[in-house]
Structures are given as C-alpha cells and as structure tokens.
Amino acid sequence: LLADYATRKTIAAEFDVSERTIDRWVSLRLLPAPLKLGHTSLFHLPTLRKHLAERCGPKGSRRRH
C-alpha cells in the first residue's frame, strides 16, 4: 500500500540535500506538497516524478506562473 510513497528523509537522501532543503523546495513549490499523516510527511513518488519531468522538460513546455 505504501510502496509508492517515500519519507522526506528518503527524498533528501536521493537529492543529497538536507530535509530542511526539501521543506524549502516544497514551500517554493519546486516539489509537490507531501501527504501528512500525523507528524509524518510522505511524498507520492509517481506524482513527484511527473512534477520533476514537467519542470525539466523542453523549454517550450514550461508553464508560466
């Protein structure tokens, strides 16, 4: 059931950054917001991958804010 989810610590390790950096990236909307279960933040990996693919896609495909 939780195979498609990763903790903030796991995501930070994948990017080789601190957990605080992950929090900043979420607040800056560079990463999608995690699902909160009590004090635990879980990132849905398929959503995270899709979001990153959209951000890193061809120059013409970027959305303007």
Side-chain angles (χ1 to χ4, degrees):
L1 183 63
L2 295 177
D4 287 339
Y5 291 88
T7 64
R8 188 176 57 174
K9 185 176 185 175
T10 303
I11 298 298
E14 286 293 319
F15 285 109
D16 196 28
V17 296
S18 71
E19 291 180 49
R20 178 67 184 114
T21 297
I22 298 299
D23 292 339
R24 268 193 305 276
W25 289 353
V26 169
S27 70
L28 292 170
R29 298 179 188 228
L30 298 175
L31 292 178
L35 172 68
K36 303 256 181 160
L37 295 174
H39 293 288
T40 304
S41 297
L42 295 174
F43 289 86
H44 185 238
L45 295 174
T47 301
L48 183 63
R49 287 184 193 111
K50 181 181 176 197
H51 181 81
L52 292 173
E54 288 172 356
R55 289 192 57 80
C56 297
K59 209 174 194 179
S61 69
R62 291 180 113 182
R63 287 187 271 156
R64 299 246 175 200
H65 294 275

